[in-house]
Amino acid sequence: MAHPDDQGLRKGLTSYGDTAFSLFLRKAFIKGAGYTDDALDRPVVGICNTASSYNPCHGNAPQLVEAVKRGVMLAGGLPMEFPTISLHESFARPTSMYLRNLMSIDTEEMIRAQPMDSVVLIGGCDKTVPAQLMGAASANVPAIQLVTGSMLTGAHRGERVGACTDCRRYWARFRGGEIAEEEVGAVNNQLVASVGTCSVMGTASTMACIAEALGMTVAGGASPPAVTADRIRVAEQTGARAVGLAQEQLTVDKILTPDAFENALRVLLAIGGSTNGIVHLAAIAGRLGWDIDLEALDRMGRETPVLVDLKPSGAHYMEDFHKAGGMATLLRELKPLLKLDALTVSGRTLG
Ligand code: FES
């Protein structure tokens, strides 16, 4: 596959005086990893890997990376994995919010600095998806979001439990003297029953649903739990689609339009999502020069039904939302209220 000068490995050459020599050097170095000229002539798909031992919400990232690579190669591209900062809510002092913008800068600059025709953003924990969307929006390359997916629920004495609505509930019972130290220790083993993001409609699940509503994931990308075959399949589809995005040069600004943000706000209201979603949407929109109209959000709130009954405000968990059809079911119900002409990373409209 022949490339124009500004694509594939030829993109953004480090300056060593003359262009041909700069490319010659770049290829010499990457060939140290055993690549052939054929591989290096393919569309390059960057894979932003946020795996970290400090981030169990991203504990399935190695399997996701493998599946994304499979998808990229099945579609004829060259996958190139690279690391960025990873943020977990319980492992970021003084607070993860303090580091969200640093992660967005890291993401933006590494997308810009390294040659890639499109990028797969693997995020999940609260601040990571907004940081990646902010960074990709500023870099304005073709980009697609892949979330790690929610954790499974655990069980304590016949009751389902999951982080982190139930964390506070059981801790309050312990502090109130209702349950003993031994029992609260047993609950501690059950609250996070697998890798993946919090199992309630907290910020991570909210941002996953918002990413799909914005058109930044493959259809059905928001809800599969982290450890399911559905999640791995979404990863393979994401990799394959990233090659299409590269070939079509479908940049982020064509997806993240005012209509896309309006759809995201509708979904935020319909899922009873985290209020942090508004803060993050404002930051993502700001990268593209758009404002989030809070008056309009207030109006929309009066006409948008709450369709999802998940903790912390309701009764159920993300895996139940997935089994009930996930975002496809939700978007179908919301159809009269959505901007159906908004373009998605599929290359087709949300409608
Ligand atoms: Fe990562 Fe809740 S701590 S999603």
Side-chain angles (χ1 to χ4, degrees):
M1 226 175 282
H3 278 291
D5 280 349
D6 61 346
Q7 287 180 26
L9 224 64
R10 294 162 180 78
K11 200 174 172 184
L13 286 167
T14 315
S15 178
Y16 285 104
D18 88 69
T19 307
F21 179 62
S22 300
L23 180 63
F24 176 80
L25 262 188
R26 174 174 280 179
K27 287 179 81 172
F29 278 112
I30 201 74
K31 281 180 176 177
Y35 291 97
T36 61
D37 282 309
D38 178 36
L40 297 177
D41 212 25
R42 306 284 173 135
V44 176
V45 176
I47 304 171
C48 181
N49 184 0
T50 49
S52 161
S53 296
Y54 289 102
N55 194 347
C57 296
H58 296 196
N60 60 342
Q63 292 98 311
L64 294 182
V65 168
E66 184 192 328
V68 170
K69 285 182 172 175
R70 182 167 70 243
V72 170
M73 289 191 281
L74 283 169
L78 174 66
M80 295 291 283
E81 172 191 350
F82 65 98
T84 68
I85 293 170
S86 189
L87 298 175
H88 183 280
E89 292 300 294
S90 276
F91 292 93
R93 188 174 178 274
T95 158
S96 59
M97 190 57 186
Y98 189 67
L99 296 162
R100 182 202 65 181
N101 288 7
L102 180 64
M103 182 172 175
S104 81
I105 293 167
D106 184 5
T107 306
E108 174 186 343
E109 294 304 334
M110 295 323 287
I111 291 173
R112 244 197 254 282
Q114 302 170 132
M116 60 191 81
D117 299 308
S118 66
V119 62
V120 175
L121 308 160
I122 303 181
C125 196
D126 294 16
K127 307 302 182 292
T128 60
V129 170
Q132 291 182 323
L133 290 175
M134 289 161 69
S138 290
N140 202 26
V141 294
I144 185 166
Q145 183 77 55
L146 173 62
V147 298
T148 55
S150 60
M151 62 180 72
L152 299 181
T153 51
H156 176 67
R157 299 190 178 170
E159 191 189 340
R160 283 173 90 196
V161 292
C164 223
T165 310
D166 302 319
C167 312
R168 291 187 183 279
R169 188 161 57 84
Y170 272 92
W171 191 249
R173 290 183 64 195
F174 170 61
R175 290 294 297 273
E178 276 181 47
I179 60 173
E181 193 165 352
E182 190 185 20
E183 183 174 350
V184 86
V187 173
N188 195 250
N189 282 340
Q190 292 299 316
L191 287 165
V192 180
S194 74
V195 295
T197 51
C198 287
S199 53
V200 299
M201 191 52 83
T203 303
S205 301
T206 298
M207 291 311 299
C209 294
I210 278 179
E212 185 167 344
L214 284 169
M216 287 301 295
T217 74
V218 297
S223 65
V227 295
T228 59
D230 281 347
R231 173 54 59 201
I232 302 293
R233 268 187 288 276
V234 164
E236 185 186 303
Q237 288 167 357
T238 301
R241 185 56 205 143
V243 178
L245 285 175
Q247 287 160 339
E248 295 153 26
Q249 283 300 294
L250 196 54
T251 45
V252 175
D253 60 338
K254 300 188 180 92
I255 312 288
L256 294 184
T257 59
D259 280 357
F261 286 102
E262 187 175 323
N263 288 336
L265 292 172
R266 286 281 180 204
V267 164
L268 175 68
L269 293 162
I271 61 179
S274 165
T275 49
N276 292 336
I278 301 165
V279 175
H280 296 315
L281 273 172
I284 299 163
R287 294 299 181 102
L288 293 146
W290 309 120
D291 282 327
I292 294 294
D293 182 349
L294 296 177
E295 303 281 333
L297 175 65
D298 190 48
R299 276 196 304 278
M300 280 186 241
R302 292 167 207 283
E303 59 192 30
T304 309
V306 179
L307 297 172
V308 175
D309 181 21
L310 258 63
K311 293 186 177 200
S313 60
H316 303 282
Y317 296 90
M318 269 307 273
E319 61 197 65
D320 305 317
F321 178 52
H322 181 56
K323 285 176 185 160
M327 285 293 287
T329 304
L330 185 97
L331 292 171
R332 202 177 300 121
E333 290 293 321
L334 280 180
K335 199 169 176 180
L337 296 173
L338 294 171
K339 299 282 187 187
L340 299 176
D341 290 337
L343 192 62
T344 74
V345 286
S346 68
R348 297 184 302 160
T349 64
L350 187 70

